Amino acid sequence: MPKKAERETERPPDAASPGKKARRKSVLWREIPEPKGAHAARVEEGGDGGFEPRIVAFACNWCSYPAADAAGISKLQYPPNARIIRVMCAGRIHPGFVLRALELGADGVLVSGCHFEDCHYLFGARRAAEQFEKTAEIVRMLGIGPERVRYEQISAAEAPKFAKVMHEFVEDVKKLGPSPLAGATGELEVPEAVSEETT
Amino acid sequence: MAAAEEGVDLREEMADALKKSRALLCYECGKCTGICPVARFDRSFSPRSLLVKAVRGEDAALVDDVNVWSCLTCKLCDARCPAAIDYGLLTKTVRAFVHHEGGEGTCTHGGAVQALMRIMTTKELEQDRLSWVDDSIDVSKTGDTIYFVGCAPYFDVVFSETGAKTLDSAKGAIRLLNAAGVKPMLLPNERCCGHDLLWNGDVENFRMLARENLRMIEESGASRVVVSCPEGYATMKVDYPRVFGDLGFEVVHLTELLAEAIDGGSLTFAGNGETTVTFQDPCRLGRHMGIYDAPRAILSAMPGVTLVDMPHSRERAICCGVGGWMNCTSFSKMIQAARLREAKATGASTLVTACPKCEIHLKCALNDQTLKDEVQLEIADLWALAASRLG
């Protein structure tokens, strides 16, 4: 059976499906570029040394995202494996987001929010912790390695902590190897152009 | 359903469904809309207008119509239709078609459940889903009976904030099986039955899940699969054979097995205080599968339990408000509130449900404190309740 994207292109563009609406593609996911070299490493199946995990990091607008910013400004080095997604509050990140990321091929997902007492919305950080508890339990049950998801509290002033967490998390996920779910539903495809660029 | 198979024209599939569901015989009396629990609150929704669109072949209109996904697929219209149209079949096919054309419903809970189901299509998955099995229940490694747990372990986590304890339900079901002299096997790597994906129009992933389940059941060598979830039961009993032909094992719903055991005298309950209950017929168990008496027989076999039926019960039962984890809206809440008020009006103190989703949805409705104060109802799962009253 052809992958979804192929099927779409195969179908005649007009007459056969007059009701065809432009399919809401998961643009965000399809077009995320790989970190330099990571895709090539994946393709060659680097195994021990070469595997570069794809990490999705949800970062709170009020703490962890500025921390990542500060880490950059301070020129702290950390692995480039994470695509950081800024959210207004980590409390919004319920299991659905994390599962979707894993489903689409993320090897690890980091949820990073405020310390309980610092939360911009007062109760958001607690909500984030509650939601993550559920996420972690689901991931444990799925048997893909509980270390693939991680929850952290990183305030805006903790740039070094952000870099440290990134180092640790990428190392942990590297040890686990590629997620067995990667491309489970055949949706995550790295666009041609990007793969050429990186090779 | 061959919708996802290569080379199969979904339009042919639609034409076939229009014939099989007798949709062409519709004489537009509108009784389906009159009785529809969604249309009662949502004036923009009408099963009849959906049917008319399908009959006229207005594909573009169908793909764009949000109402394709608002249907609860509870089949109340089927029961009422004077032309005996099978709306269930029609909706299922229309959704498969619309899904293929790029239309999507709004998945509730951020699509967490659907993502979970699609993740489970992964062949190499090694789940750790049986950590809840403890000494209170007796399961075996071999045997001829499998208890299909379904999504209970996951629902228990995802919907913890509603207060629904779906694992208590699964545990209760196994304790009841034990009491009836059955020591079931559990599949350590069982997948979701695929019910929700099928009804969401995602036939492709449904088939992958079904295939995995069938493979594991075949490998286990069991000749009977007992299911307590009405949706799992309906899917395995009706949709699996429809897609894959003869399954080579028997699918039994727990109510049937227990009702037989009660009749035979091998299963008895003990008194545990007087209580009045009313029963919510799950649409999958009732109208889809025609099982109305078995759950009532179990309730009546418990000493001290008085069953009072609601005016809308059995084939007239009202759905719990959401189907296939899609399009949960304020109308769903209205349906649930109306249902809870109806349950309260019977004078019962407990509303018994036999489907994990009914339990989750109705308990979720009770998160509304005003409604909770008003109806003051307990919501209990049939299996958990029955297991707590084992003699």
Side-chain angles (χ1 to χ4, degrees):
Chain A
M1 173 173 307
K3 295 246 165 75
K4 251 183 190 161
E6 288 167 24
R7 246 194 287 132
E8 267 157 25
T9 49
E10 273 166 20
R11 210 182 303 140
D14 48 5
S17 47
K20 173 106 179 92
K21 206 170 55 170
R23 187 182 163 81
R24 203 143 47 89
K25 282 185 195 140
S26 40
V27 174
L28 181 68
W29 292 97
R30 283 172 185 246
E31 291 173 9
I32 286 178
E34 291 275 297
K36 277 247 179 254
H39 182 68
R42 241 172 197 286
V43 173
E44 288 161 21
E45 196 41 76
D48 312 339
F51 164 62
E52 286 296 333
R54 281 184 289 210
I55 309 265
V56 171
F58 293 103
C60 163
N61 176 57
W62 304 101
C63 51
S64 306
Y65 195 80
D69 239 358
I73 291 167
S74 330
K75 298 204 167 21
L76 297 175
Q77 296 297 312
Y78 62 88
N81 301 53
R83 288 83 160 146
I84 302 182
I85 299 179
R86 180 168 65 160
V87 290
M88 287 309 287
C89 177
R92 176 72 176 88
I93 304 304
H94 64 74
F97 290 93
V98 180
L99 290 176
R100 190 91 178 107
L102 290 170
E103 182 201 345
L104 293 180
D107 297 307
V109 181
L110 171 73
V111 180
S112 185
C114 301
H115 293 277
F116 291 139
E117 58 274 19
D118 298 348
C119 178
H120 187 79
Y121 304 106
L122 306 178
F123 65 91
R126 285 195 190 279
R127 180 64 49 81
E130 282 165 19
Q131 297 291 356
F132 188 81
E133 218 173 278
K134 293 201 276 183
T135 310
E137 178 60 12
I138 294 169
V139 171
R140 185 193 67 73
M141 272 195 277
L142 279 173
I144 53 171
E147 300 88 355
R148 286 200 193 278
V149 288
R150 180 165 176 155
Y151 172 65
E152 281 297 334
Q153 297 186 328
I154 303 174
S155 85
E158 293 176 314
K161 182 175 178 187
F162 185 87
K164 181 172 150 267
V165 165
M166 277 297 172
H167 274 293
E168 285 175 8
F169 192 41
V170 170
E171 275 313 304
D172 288 352
V173 178
K174 262 187 192 168
K175 272 179 214 148
L176 284 173
S179 161
L181 308 182
T185 50
E187 285 211 36
L188 186 89
E189 284 153 19
V190 179
E192 290 278 311
V194 177
S195 353
E196 276 162 21
E197 221 175 77
T198 50
T199 45
Chain B
M1 190 182 295
E5 224 144 38
E6 244 179 297
V8 172
D9 188 353
L10 274 157
R11 268 181 193 73
E12 257 172 46
E13 190 87 356
M14 280 273 276
D16 197 40
L18 284 173
K19 267 186 219 147
K20 277 196 190 138
S21 65
R22 298 164 52 94
L24 298 168
L25 298 182
C26 172
Y27 46 81
E28 303 198 27
C29 64
K31 284 202 164 81
C32 48
T33 309
I35 199 160
C36 176
V38 181
R40 184 177 169 198
F41 298 105
D42 179 358
R43 290 289 163 198
S44 71
F45 180 75
S46 148
R48 185 177 57 97
S49 70
L50 278 182
L51 179 139
V52 169
K53 275 180 196 164
V55 169
R56 285 190 189 151
E58 295 174 4
D59 297 345
L62 275 179
V63 173
D64 287 333
D65 194 346
V66 66
N67 280 336
V68 167
W69 310 102
S70 301
C71 171
L72 304 170
T73 62
C74 72
K75 275 186 169 241
L76 193 57
C77 41
D78 282 36
R80 191 76 184 84
C81 179
I85 293 169
D86 187 346
Y87 280 91
L89 174 66
L90 186 67
T91 312
K92 210 188 282 179
T93 320
V94 165
R95 283 187 179 178
F97 173 73
V98 173
H99 179 87
H100 187 263
E101 292 295 304
E104 275 176 80
T106 309
C107 298
T108 51
H109 310 284
V113 194
Q114 277 87 353
L116 196 54
M117 289 163 186
R118 284 190 301 260
I119 283 176
M120 282 195 215
T121 59
T122 312
K123 282 206 170 62
E124 306 81 45
L125 211 57
E126 290 290 337
Q127 297 176 74
D128 178 15
R129 51 178 289 146
L130 294 180
S131 49
W132 49 274
V133 176
D134 55 24
D135 297 342
S136 66
I137 51 178
D138 230 351
V139 293
S140 86
K141 292 257 180 259
T142 53
D144 63 344
T145 305
I146 287 179
Y147 171 64
F148 193 83
V149 181
C151 299
Y154 291 103
F155 286 177
D156 203 65
V157 177
V158 179
F159 303 108
S160 52
E161 70 265 19
T162 62
K165 299 258 181 260
T166 46
L167 269 184
D168 287 0
S169 167
K171 270 190 202 170
I174 298 177
R175 281 184 62 201
L176 289 165
L177 276 172
N178 293 159
V182 180
K183 218 169 142 188
M185 259 195 287
L186 302 181
L187 294 174
N189 214 357
E190 179 191 304
R191 306 300 208 276
C192 157
C193 66
H195 169 276
D196 297 317
L197 291 182
L198 176 67
W199 286 94
N200 291 356
D202 191 351
V203 185
E204 202 173 315
N205 283 320
F206 160 73
R207 292 168 71 100
M208 287 168 83
L209 289 172
R211 234 180 244 135
E212 281 300 301
N213 278 328
L214 290 173
R215 183 183 59 76
M216 282 182 292
I217 294 171
E218 199 185 323
E219 277 170 11
S220 75
S223 61
R224 179 170 66 163
V225 175
V226 181
V227 192
S228 65
C229 168
E231 304 199 327
Y233 174 63
T235 308
M236 294 186 106
K237 185 101 177 176
V238 178
D239 295 304
Y240 280 18
R242 195 164 50 85
V243 179
F244 297 98
D246 184 33
L247 300 181
F249 57 85
E250 190 192 358
V251 182
V252 188
H253 193 258
L254 186 58
T255 44
E256 299 174 306
L257 194 143
L258 294 185
E260 252 171 52
I262 291 169
D263 273 348
S266 60
L267 180 65
T268 50
F269 295 100
N272 189 9
E274 296 284 317
T275 177
T276 309
V277 303
T278 184
F279 181 65
Q280 160 81 5
D281 284 280
C283 45
R284 275 8 182 209
L285 194 60
R287 282 185 295 270
H288 282 240
M289 300 307 295
I291 300 177
Y292 300 106
D293 293 320
R296 289 182 167 78
I298 296 169
L299 283 170
S300 333
M302 297 180 212
V305 173
T306 318
L307 173 68
V308 199
D309 264 328
M310 289 179 264
H312 292 101
S313 65
R314 305 177 76 95
E315 47 283 291
R316 299 178 61 217
I318 308 277
C319 169
C320 65
V322 191
W325 307 119
M326 282 221 295
N327 277 29
C328 178
T329 59
S330 55
F331 301 123
S332 309
K333 291 286 160 260
M334 289 181 197
I335 297 170
Q336 287 155 4
R339 190 58 171 162
L340 288 167
R341 291 198 180 101
E342 189 182 353
K344 180 64 189 169
T346 61
S349 61
T350 307
L351 174 61
V352 179
T353 61
C355 176
K357 285 193 190 165
C358 295
E359 186 194 356
I360 290 165
H361 291 146
L362 294 171
K363 278 192 173 163
C364 174
L366 286 185
N367 278 349
D368 177 349
Q369 195 59 42
T370 330
L371 184 66
K372 190 172 189 171
D373 293 343
E374 182 194 329
V375 297
Q376 295 187 338
L377 264 178
E378 285 287 317
I379 292 172
D381 176 76
L382 178 59
W383 318 122
L385 177 76
S388 72
R389 284 173 171 259
L390 275 174

